[in-house]
Structures are given as structure tokens and as C-alpha cells.
Amino acid sequence: MIKKLLRALLILILLLIPFKVIASQDIYSNCEYEIIDDVRYIKLSSVAIVHKLTLQWSDSDKSVRTTYNDKNLIFSTNNDIVYINDDMYYFGEIKLIKGYTYVPQNATVIFNEGYTAYLLDEPVEYKYINGIVTKIDVEKNNITTSVIKKYLINQIEYFCIDELAQFFNIEPVKAQNSDYIMLMNNEHEVYFYVQSDNINLNGTNITTDNIIYMDNRYYAPNNLLDFLIETFVTDYNNNTDNPTTSSEDESLYTTYIFDDPSVKYVSMKQVSDIAGYNYQWYYMNRYAVIERDNDKFFILVPSSIIMKDDLLYKGYSIKEDNDIVYIEYRALEVFGLIHKDDIEDPSNEVLPDEDDQNPSESDLGTKLPSGYIPIRQFAEYINGTVMWDSENFSAILTHKDTEYTFDTRNFKIYVNEIEVHGYDFKFEDGITHVNTSLEELISSTNILYKEYEEYDLIYIKSPTATLKTHYPLSDPNRIVLDIGDCDSVNNSESVKGQFFNSIRVLNEPDNLKRIVFDLISKNNYEISKTKGVLEVKVFKTGTNNTQPSSSEQSGIVPGSTINDENENTKPNNKADIKVETDKIIVNTLDYENYEIKRISDPNRIVLFIPNSFSDIKEFPIKENSRYIKKVTSYYSDEGLYIEVELSNQCRYEIIEISETKLVMDIYSQKIINMSYYNYSDRKYINITGLSLADQYGVVNSNVKVAKNEMITTIEFIDSNYRLTAGVLYVNDDFIEKIQVKRINEKVIMTIFAKQKIDLYFNSARTSYTNINFIPENMTYSGSVVIDAGHGGYDPGAVASSVYESNINLKIALKVQAILENNNINVFMMRKTDEYVGLYERAHVANLIEASLFVSIHSNAFSNSAYKGIMTLVYPSSVQSNKLSGKQFGTVLQKNLIKATSAIDRGVIDRPNLIVLNSTKMPASLVECGFMTNAEELAALQSEEYQNILAQGIAAGIIEALRLK
Ligand SMILES: [Zn+2]
């Protein structure tokens, strides 16, 4: 804690330094100086006059020595280090100009009283030196500095992302297809996408700018550099978002900027110092108390509320960083330190008029600009997706299952495998730019054609059309296809094939189109729906020479190949098909040249084995089969078709066991970024990279939740494609499965529960969401919630490398065991080292209608002499319960003191603790001892004392339950 504070102070001072320099600039105004590369270097002998120093030049190590305030100072021109006694400081180059030593102006801060910053205490540090972030590698006395280089590409300054990664000692992750590079540290991940030019920070697209991939390296425009450095530099110094000082404020107080540059904050610590308030931060409750005379203000960080007496002031933004509370500048009016008139409303100042908004943003999805635009942008307009195929140097745009391939080597466009003409595109700086006229091809129904030796391939490419029926007619020989949901069909080039003379499109009523192929002779044909297009193959006469059947219909229609077994000769090999759990085993003499095809709606996999047959048409499914819904077979004289209907788009694998044995293994898809947790009593889905609610549990407006008995559907937009489609088979006593379906950016998550459930969403941190499951049947109703404080990335207090979160959990698990031995129903908020949001703890307890809530913590204080146990309660629990929170706390405290004989620090009102003020049942937070006291820390770590504590807590709970 103290180290953290010192560090915070150091960083704070570091941030303040440039302003102090400016403020004290005038004392050096008569000094001789040189400006080199915008940096002001002051002649050291001039500085010596200001501070009355005696300088001594040492030729052996090319340095200047002096003493100041009893400190030995050495300015080394060899390694640019300023030594103050044995400490090393770095301010930039120390120059020798015409035989005189010059130091950067910012080095004069060392003559300021109480100077502590710029001390190099880490092997690698990043400092703003003369406005440029500089990496300083300290290895013994050998200091090297580096800055990030600029590259001029097409007259624009770029930096190399690979070099940025190296600068921060980050190993970048690069896409195999060269579409992105990703830099990641403990806190952040930043993706740079080449094709889409998107820059994505922690799952959110923050901006679009030209990202270039060249000679195996990635480049981004230089104007992004500051932002990225901020992202990574602050992380190296500190794990939370440091404020940056805002330079243009002329007020009494230093102002700071957090995430939004238009909102200025002041440090309440500094304000208190200046305004004569006493500032006290309560780190555990996350509030600060500002006190002067009879005025007492509470600043509650989690709820962004300032409280004075009974008055609540809301609507101000409040931040906390390293135990310092920052409030929005305008909130100073609450303290009477500024007046309303002093405040310019930043919202008036900064927000652009709606008319001024970037048209490409506001018009997204509604109107296409004309001309060439990056393919990613185009894809967004049409709701498609883009992939870069690095092997073939092609961009692949997928829209409604149809693939549009842009071959950047040959500048050809293909729809699936058929080339289309009349559209073009550009390839510039590694980015495919398509002409927006392409939209016409994508949104309309077109007939496309390609010749093969054995057959003519015709696509009926349509975003909407469905095949209603098809049949052959003779005399003259024709194929007739009826297509529904189709406004018009583009058939401008009158297509003539090798095996057909023409294709005619006839308009029928009800949006029906009849497409007639006039055949050369009695050609066989095959119709299937693959990759979003209706594929018609018209075969050369004499090939595929079975009669086309007039059988229906949607999906794949193996027109010419399906046969009624009565009319056909059986192939030679009898196949033995066995259906196991999610596995199909086929034994047949000859499975050479088998083919496999995936069909959707319903999801099926069709396995074709030539020269084989089976007399069994449908196979029984194993009861515990998770993915296989139905297995059927049929055969023609060519071979056997095994059609496996699946519960979703499962993955499959064909394993050739032996020359006669083939196994098709079917398994689920893993859902990326989504996991289900059920090892504590709290059951929840964790989604990383997506925030669907806020820390208070308020679900975002674009998240739709619908419940129908035991099926819950959650719909939301995931434009960053964090989640993959798939099914998570849970099969615990709570959830059967969780299915994620995607339709472009829309995600439909369906939860199939085994009992009726309520959901509670929470995103206590940005970029993740927990969806808690609460049973409606009140399995946990009336149970006692045992809440082990902190956990996961929040260790709570840390003393001598001991984490509070771990001690709390150990005691909590012991309390659970004792209570359960006494037949008391217990709900454990956590049973492992995991993070649970504070509101999440409170709301989950409310939703399960718990009878009591006990949060278990251990204390810390700056004075290591402090010992003892205290219980924190919500002061005025005027709940309908017979037992108030205060009474409950009193019972707990009494039992704890009785069990432990520890110092009794009493029952203390804590109105602002979330777990106490947001819970509806009697709730208390026990502080089991002071980790900052050596004796109690040793006790808290011992199993023996943990048992005693647990017995005290359990005894208190048992007594309270009797009183209730
Ligand atoms: Zn704690």
C-alpha cells in the first residue's frame, strides 16, 4: 500500500514537473541558451550564476561537478546522466557546445526543493523528454535511449508497429494471413487490421486509419502514436488509467484529463491542500472524506455522488486513481470553490453540431458513396464480412453465404467459382478498394455461367430467392425451375451453354419466377444450394445418365442422383453403418473417392461413398447423442449417400481407420471468448471483450432478452466479432446448453435451461460481461450468503506479499463447512480466486432472496500497531425484517470477540459500502484482523486462527438466524 502510494506520488510529481519548469522559467531567463531540435539547452555556467554554484570540469570522465544544498551533482556528457549523490537522473542529452556544457532546460528542476522525480529505479523506463516519449534502458551506468522512428510513405508520416512493439518489449501477434498485428500487455490489447484499417482497443473499434503491411512489417499513421504510447506507457508505470495534466488551464488547481479530453478533473488532494480541507481516503469503501471546520463532504467513487449532510450531488464524474479522488472541475461548485458562472460548459464547447458529423459515420448502412471504397467499409454497408486469403492474394467478401473473391493479382472478381464481368476494383497500399456499383451485383438476382468439360455450371445468385420446385420436361427438352421471393432476374447476356441453348426467365404471379433451360438434348441435371447460390449443373449427354427425378426440394436436391431402389441396380458393396454417440462408423469394401458435403437449414453432412449401398434407410440415434439428430441413407447406382442431420453447425472429421472402415466424428464448436462457470454456487457465463451492461447491472439498450419457459434468448450486436457461433453443452443440473448463433454482427444467444431461470447481467469492468443465472424455483431461497471479499485481479489489502482475498476465502470456506454441518443452506459467492463485481455480489444475493449476507474481509491500516476485529454495517436498516443489519452485525461482532478474544473495535456504520447498502437482507462485513499488524497477519495466515474466526462467524450467523 505504502509503496503504491509512493509510486503514485512519484508519478504525480513526474506529471507536474513540466509545469513547474514553466513556472520557474523566468529565473533562468537571463541564462545563455541554444535551441536545438526545438529543445532549449541552458549553459550550465549561467545556471551556476543563478544558484551560486562552483563548477569543476573533469576531463577524465568529461563531466562537470558541483555541490548544491549539500548534494554532490555530476553532469556527465559521456552518458547524459545527472548524478545526485548516488542516484541517477536523466533529462535528455547533456551537450558540449563550443567547449561549454549545456543541459536541457527541464534538468533545472533538480534545483527545485523536494525534487524526487526522474529517478531511474527500473531497468527500463519511459519518460516524456522534451515532449517525445523516450525509452531509457538502464544497465549499470550504461544508459541508452531510443525514440520511435518516423517513415514517410506517400508523403504521410507513419511509424512501424513492429518497432513500437519492440519499444515496449511486447511480442506482437500477427495474423497468418497478414490481416492484422496485435500488441498486448497485461491490461490492453490493440489490433491493427490491414484490410479494414480498423484499430481495435480491448474489443472496441476506436478508429479507422490507413494500416499498411509492407515487407513483413506493419505501419500506422504517426498521428496515432501518442495515443498508443499513452496506452502502453501508463501501463508500464501503473495499472490504472493515469490522468494526464491538462496544460491550458489557468486556474488555481492543476487539471487532469482521463479518458474524455473534454472533461477536466481536479485532484481532491490538491484542492484540499490549497483550500485548507482535511482529505482522507477510505480505500476499502472507496470514498473520500473532505473536512474543514463544520463542513464534511463524502465523495463516493462507485456511485459518483458527492454527499454533504443530507444533500446528494449527482451528475458529476468522479474518478479514483492510486488513492487519489479526482472530481470533475465543475463539481468544485459543490464545495463553494467555484461559482456556476465560472464554468464554461464543455458540452457546448466540444460537441459538434449534428450537421457537422462525419458523413461516413452517420450515413453508415444507409447510403453508399459512389466510387471506390475500402472493401471492409463496403462490407459494413452490405452487412458482409471480409477475409484476406494470403495464399491467393485475394480478398474474400462473404454476403449471405455467397463468396465474392477479389483476386488482386489478376484483378478478377469471382462469385464462388464463377468469374463475373462488368465490375472492377483497385488494390492500393495493400487494401482492396471496390467500386460501390458492385452493390448492384450483390443485391440483385443474377444468372452466372461457367463451362466445364463434363457440365455447364449455372448460378442463380440471389440474396433472397428460394427454390420452390424443379422438373424436367421433354419434347422439347427443358428444365423448369420455379423460384420464389424474387423481384427480378438479371439475365442480360443471353446465356448459351455447351449443353443448353438458352435460359429464359418468365414472370409468374406472387413474386414467382420461372426459369427455363432449353436443352440441346435430354441432358441430365443436378440442382443444389451451395454457398448461398442455387447451383444448376447441366451435364453432357451420356454422363450422369440417370433420369432426373422430380423430387423436391429445399437445400440440396440431388436431382439426378437420387433413385428409387426398385428401378435401379444395386452397387456392389454392401455398407454396414453404425451410429454411435456423435460418431458414424461405416464398414464397406471400397470407400475410395468418398465425398463429403455440408448443407445448412437444416444442418446436415452428406457423405457419399461410391459403389456402396445400404438397405437401411434410417438409423436409430443414441440417446446421449448431443449433435446427431437423424441419420438416413439412400443410394443410386453410383453409390451410397449417408445424410447426417445435426443439431447445429458442428465440426466433423473423417478418419480413415482402415481400407474398409471410415469414421465420421462429430463434435461441437468451441465458442471463443465465452465460458460457463459453475464451480461456485454462483453460476454464470463470462464473455470477454464485450460489455453488455454496466457495473450496476443495467443492461445496454441494444441488448434484447426474451424468455419463454426454460428457453432464454439474448440478442445483441457484436460488431467486433468477439463471439463465434457454436454450442456449449453444459449439462449440469442447471443449464442444458448455450447456443450462439451469428447473423453478421447480430448475435443470438439461446440458453436452454433445465429449470426456470432469471438472469443478471453485470460488467464490473469494461470489456467483459458476466451473465449470472438465478433459479426461479428458489433453490437458494433463505440461504446464508457467504461472500469472501475481493478475488481475481482484486487482491484487496496486500501485506508482506499476503493477499487479503486469499485469507478471506480460506475463512469463508471454513464458515461454509461449519454452517452446512448445522444443516444451514449456504450460498457461496465465490469458492475460488475469481473476481466478482461489488454490485454483482449484492444483486445476486437479492435475487436468490438470501436470509443473511456476510462479507468476510481482513483489514489494513497505515499504523501497524492497530489490531482487532470490527464489523461494518449499514447504519439505519429499517427493513421489514425483525433483525436489522446493525443487530446482525452486533451479534456477529459479539460472537467473533468471544471466539477469538481479539481487541473489540466495535460495530461501525458504513453507509456507503455497496455490499451493505445494496443488499436487501440483513448484511454485515466482518474485518477479521489487521494484516498490517505483524502479529495479526501471522494469526490470519494460520489454519488454527482461521478455524476460530470461522467458528465465531458461524456462531453469530446461527444466533442471528434464531433471532430473525
Ligand atoms: Zn477487504
Side-chain angles (χ1 to χ4, degrees), residues 244-249 251 253-257 264-267 270 329:
T244 50
T245 44
S246 146
S247 54
E248 73 267 273
D249 198 86
S251 101
Y253 313 108
T254 314
T255 55
Y256 299 85
I257 293 167
K264 290 176 190 166
Y265 294 82
V266 290
S267 147
Q270 193 202 23
Y329 179 77

Side-chain angles (χ1 to χ4, degrees), residues 113 364 393 489 625 667 714 895:
E113 239 177 291
L364 200 72
F393 277 82
V489 179
S625 177
Y667 43 97
I714 305 164
N895 279 280

